[in-house]
Amino acid sequence: MRPAQLDLARYRVRLDSETDFAGWRDAARRLALNEVRPEDVGWHVAPGSDQAELPEVPAGAQLVVPRDFIGHAETAFCHSDSGRFAFLYRVLWRLRDEPKLLEIASDPDTRRLETMEKAVRRDSHKMHAFVRFRKIGDGADERYVAWFEPDHFIVERNADFFVRRFTGMRWTILTPYASADWDGERLAMGPGAAKGDAPDQDDTEALWRTYFENIFNPARLKVKAMQREMPKKYWRNLPEASLIPDMIAGADKAAKDMIAKMPTTPAPHHAKVQARHWPKQQPAETAEDDAASTISELREVAKGCRRCPLWRDATQTVFGEGPDNAKVIFVGEQPGDQEDLAGKPFVGPAGKVFDAILDDAGVDRQKVYVTNAVKHFKFEPRGKRRIHSKPNSGEIQACRWWIDQEFELIKPNLAVALGATAAMSLLGEAIPVTKMRGQVIEREDGLRVFITIHPSFILRIHDRADKEAERERFLQDMKLVKRLMAA
């Protein structure tokens, strides 16, 4: 509340600090029980002031509000919004006559309370993740100091977390508005500090940067997602942050180098294949080249695939299906729940959409070969359900051997990449499917690869008009595929 408003307020409440929730709670209770309306109260922080002008609680009066309000209010109280004291009192005032208020998601006050809580919890998460202690002193004088810049008043709220995690060392966390100090036995809160009060670096930072550089996986880098989780405002206080720009810039090359260096040792079951097809003196590294001479034989070999860990949780290998002389091979991402149980590709909901659109486009499903970039179902358990989980680049690369064998045996003149995972498997690099949809890319070996979406994308669209439009667009893609097959 602004100073001019404070002067007009009937009651002016003085809190000891920005986080004096106990003081706010006591004052709010007194005011509400004396029927003091929110617009008649002014709130401000004035350390050391008393509340002499506040009314006493009427004899026998009780204030009844939903039990969970206190928890919500205590969290939102840590928000940096200067109007939070008055806002929380207004919510309290309304709850007396609207006990179900917090269950009304569309109410502006409920939405604001929820937004404030989320912001405080997120800031707490960032504090847990991005506080970096630096060592000062040795021996009996050894202690650790960290500088952190929170968005909200969360130091007191999170100090116990650091006590539990770093009980055995003496530490201090400095922030612009408050500090927390643990001497090994007692936690003390103090005033704010300046960044210059914290050390710039210590001897362990070179080791930390080396560790961070070595655990970095360029194939899994998603810059926007990383910056959401690690906003740039925190970078200046993180020793590893100096490495991030160069690591991002070199991620694409590093990912390709990592894939190129993957082990090429055959999976255990290929030793049996080698014994059938090669003399004992045949080098092991060439055994996979002629592991099978027909699709049927290759399908049998694939039943024992152990090239990546996905086989452990899947029901079975789901291999490709279709004629050995198909002119086109459709490549999807991976089998889904129903495909995993049936042992056949494209038999689930997306498969039904796929079949219907192929039929509308005049493409005979019995004359095409359908397969997946990854042959085992990757999922996350959610209760009794198994939820699809996207394959990573290592899993795609491990399964690339099977895809290559299918193409070598069938020798199609066209491949259709259904989605980004299929495109990566066929072309060896990430392709922006939405931008390159409908285009044909010719590989070095002469194979033409047509880029389009996976039919499961249509199922994920909720708006009926948008779903129909996307289905029509996919139908046009399939009609183009038919013309390319003929050509």
Side-chain angles (χ1 to χ4, degrees):
M1 184 169 283
R2 294 188 295 271
Q5 292 175 300
L6 284 172
D7 293 337
L8 296 174
R10 180 180 169 192
Y11 290 98
R12 285 188 282 181
V13 181
R14 305 177 184 89
L15 302 177
D16 280 340
S17 69
E18 298 284 359
T19 55
D20 181 16
F21 181 72
W24 176 89
R25 185 176 180 180
D26 177 67
R29 178 170 173 268
R30 293 195 200 186
L31 294 166
L33 288 173
N34 281 278
E35 299 297 325
V36 179
R37 301 183 62 82
E39 56 268 28
D40 292 333
V41 184
W43 304 82
H44 66 134
V45 175
S49 301
D50 58 33
Q51 304 286 16
E53 64 182 66
L54 291 183
E56 296 295 331
V57 174
Q62 290 187 338
L63 180 62
V64 179
V65 296
R67 181 177 300 177
D68 58 349
F69 168 69
I70 298 301
H72 292 304
E74 194 167 13
T75 300
F77 197 85
C78 297
H79 199 278
S80 58
D81 185 343
S82 60
R84 66 192 183 281
F85 309 134
F87 165 68
L88 290 172
Y89 183 62
R90 184 173 75 243
V91 174
L92 174 67
W93 179 265
R94 291 185 62 190
L95 281 169
R96 300 183 316 158
D97 299 320
E98 304 172 70
K100 300 293 186 181
L101 173 64
L102 300 184
E103 299 176 19
I104 304 173
S106 61
D107 185 88
D109 284 345
T110 300
R111 291 203 308 269
R112 180 180 174 185
L113 180 63
E114 182 180 358
T115 300
M116 292 170 72
E117 285 187 89
K118 285 183 178 179
V120 170
R121 286 196 295 268
R122 180 175 174 81
D123 207 28
S124 295
H125 170 72
K126 299 305 179 190
M127 185 174 182
H128 295 173
F130 300 135
V131 161
R132 293 290 186 268
F133 288 105
R134 292 179 167 97
K135 177 184 172 183
I136 59 173
D138 293 297
D141 296 327
E142 179 183 289
R143 67 181 302 104
Y144 294 82
V145 180
W147 170 256
F148 186 70
E149 299 173 41
D151 291 328
H152 306 289
F153 302 106
I154 61 168
V155 177
E156 295 94 327
R157 182 181 180 87
N158 291 280
D160 285 341
F161 167 85
F162 291 95
V163 170
R164 294 191 302 271
R165 189 167 185 180
F166 303 105
T167 306
M169 71 183 200
R170 296 187 301 165
W171 52 260
T172 302
I173 299 175
L174 303 175
T175 78
Y177 85 91
S179 62
D181 182 86
W182 172 252
D183 64 5
E185 296 180 356
R186 184 180 62 88
L187 176 67
M189 302 305 302
K195 186 175 182 180
D197 296 329
D200 289 332
Q201 59 183 354
D202 65 11
D203 296 337
T204 65
E205 294 196 6
L207 179 63
W208 177 257
R209 282 192 288 268
T210 300
Y211 167 74
F212 183 76
E213 192 170 24
N214 279 277
I215 65 169
F216 174 69
N217 185 346
R220 300 190 115 186
L221 175 65
K222 295 181 179 179
V223 176
K224 291 183 179 179
M226 180 197 74
Q227 291 182 352
R228 282 197 302 269
E229 290 301 313
M230 186 192 290
K232 286 189 175 182
K233 63 164 284 188
Y234 298 110
W235 290 18
R236 58 181 177 270
N237 297 320
L238 301 176
E240 67 271 27
S242 60
L243 303 171
I244 294 176
D246 289 340
M247 292 169 80
I248 292 175
D252 184 60
K253 181 179 182 302
K256 291 180 180 178
D257 291 345
M258 183 178 71
I259 292 172
K261 293 177 182 177
M262 287 185 66
T264 57
T265 304
H269 71 279
H270 288 136
K272 298 178 182 178
V273 175
Q274 177 184 345
R276 287 205 309 270
H277 294 278
W278 296 99
K280 288 186 178 180
Q281 68 270 22
Q282 183 67 27
E285 57 268 29
T286 64
E288 291 182 345
D289 294 342
D290 285 341
S293 57
T294 67
I295 285 293
S296 296
E297 186 175 350
L298 189 65
R299 183 178 292 109
E300 288 298 312
V301 174
K303 290 179 179 179
C305 179
R306 303 291 187 271
R307 295 182 66 83
C308 78
L310 295 184
W311 67 272
R312 294 193 182 100
D313 296 322
T315 304
Q316 59 192 313
T317 303
V318 180
F319 207 71
E321 190 175 67
D324 291 7
N325 61 348
K327 292 183 178 180
V328 60
I329 294 182
F330 288 86
V331 182
E333 179 186 270
Q334 66 162 1
D337 183 76
Q338 294 186 30
E339 287 84 356
D340 176 66
L341 297 174
K344 295 184 177 182
F346 286 82
V347 296
K352 291 180 173 60
V353 172
F354 179 65
D355 285 351
I357 294 178
L358 281 189
D359 186 58
D360 290 348
V363 178
D364 188 349
R365 166 74 186 262
Q366 301 305 313
K367 294 183 179 180
V368 302
Y369 188 92
V370 293
T371 189
N372 283 299
V374 173
K375 309 301 187 191
H376 286 107
F377 181 32
K378 182 179 181 181
F379 63 91
E380 295 177 1
R382 300 269 182 87
K384 295 183 179 180
R385 299 177 62 199
R386 301 187 299 173
I387 305 300
H388 164 277
S389 181
K390 188 178 180 67
N392 61 42
S393 59
E395 291 154 354
I396 296 169
Q397 176 66 15
C399 232
R400 176 72 182 272
W401 189 86
W402 297 110
I403 291 289
D404 288 345
Q405 295 304 302
E406 289 174 293
F407 276 78
E408 179 65 26
L409 292 171
I410 296 175
K411 294 181 171 58
N413 57 32
L414 178 68
V416 178
L418 300 171
T421 297
M424 175 176 280
S425 176
L426 293 171
L427 299 172
E429 60 182 341
I431 296 293
V433 171
T434 54
K435 292 182 180 180
M436 300 188 66
R437 181 177 182 176
Q439 296 185 32
V440 177
I441 300 175
E442 186 170 328
R443 298 197 320 193
E444 292 181 358
D445 62 359
L447 178 69
R448 296 175 300 160
V449 180
F450 180 86
I451 307 297
T452 186
I453 62 162
H454 193 282
S456 63
F457 176 71
I458 300 172
L459 295 175
R460 294 195 295 270
I461 300 174
H462 298 293
D463 183 84
R464 183 173 180 178
D466 291 344
K467 185 187 290 285
E468 287 298 319
E470 189 56 52
R471 188 188 189 283
E472 178 60 27
R473 190 177 177 191
F474 189 68
L475 173 59
Q476 295 306 315
D477 285 348
M478 294 303 99
K479 288 181 177 180
L480 180 54
V481 166
K482 183 181 180 181
R483 292 198 293 271
L484 290 169
M485 289 168 61

